Amino acid sequence: MAAAQADLPPASDNISTLIAKFAAKGLDLRDLTALSGAHTVGSARCVNFRQHVYNEANVDPAFAMFRRRICPASGGDSNLAALDPTSPNRFDVSYYRDLMVRRALLHSDQELFNGGPADDLVRLYSNNGGAFNRDFSAAMVKLGNLSPLTGSTGEIRLNCRRAN
C-alpha cells in the first residue's frame, strides 16, 4: 500500500506536477491524459475532493453545490461520490466532456482542462472515443511494462483482493 501511495499522484496535484510524475515513469502528456480517463468509472472519498468543491474557482458552481450535499465542510471524510457523474458505470468519454464544463470531482482531474497543455487532448477525447480507446490501450501497455513482477516474484491472482 505504501508503494502504491508513493507512486499514485494525490488529488491535489497540479498539471506541472502530474506531468513531472508521469515523465519520471517514462510516460508523456498523452499517456497522462488518456490514463486519467480511467476516472470515467469509480468513486472518490470526500476527503479527496472537499477542497476542490468548497474552495476552488475552476469548478461549476451547481456541480460544487451538488457535491457539497454528499461531502460536508467537515466530517464525512469517507463519503463517496462518482468520479464521472454523467455515466459513472460506463467506460466512455463523458469524463472528458465533464472536464470541459468544469465538472471534475478532483482538482487533479480538472487540471487536465484548465487552460494548460492537456486541453487539446481533452477536446480530442471528448469527441473521438476511438482516439481515446487507442491512446488509453497504448498507455496501459506502457504502464503495465513498468517494473513488472515476473517468475517467483509475482503472481497472477485469481482474486485481485488476495494472494493465491
Side-chain angles (χ1 to χ4, degrees), residues 40-42 82 84 86-92:
T40 192
V41 294
D84 175 356
T86 304
S87 58
N89 299 312
R90 280 196 314 265
F91 193 82
D92 59 18

Side-chain angles (χ1 to χ4, degrees), residues 40-95:
T40 192
V41 294
S43 56
R45 294 173 55 222
C46 172
V47 68
N48 293 314
F49 65 86
R50 179 181 288 119
Q51 180 72 22
H52 182 57
V53 299
Y54 278 92
N55 300 313
E56 295 182 9
N58 66 341
V59 60
D60 174 70
F63 175 77
M65 187 63 67
F66 175 68
R67 290 304 180 205
R68 289 176 193 158
R69 286 190 247 150
I70 296 167
C71 182
S74 63
D77 287 357
S78 294
N79 294 355
L80 295 175
L83 288 163
D84 175 356
T86 304
S87 58
N89 299 312
R90 280 196 314 265
F91 193 82
D92 59 18
V93 298
S94 63
Y95 163 81

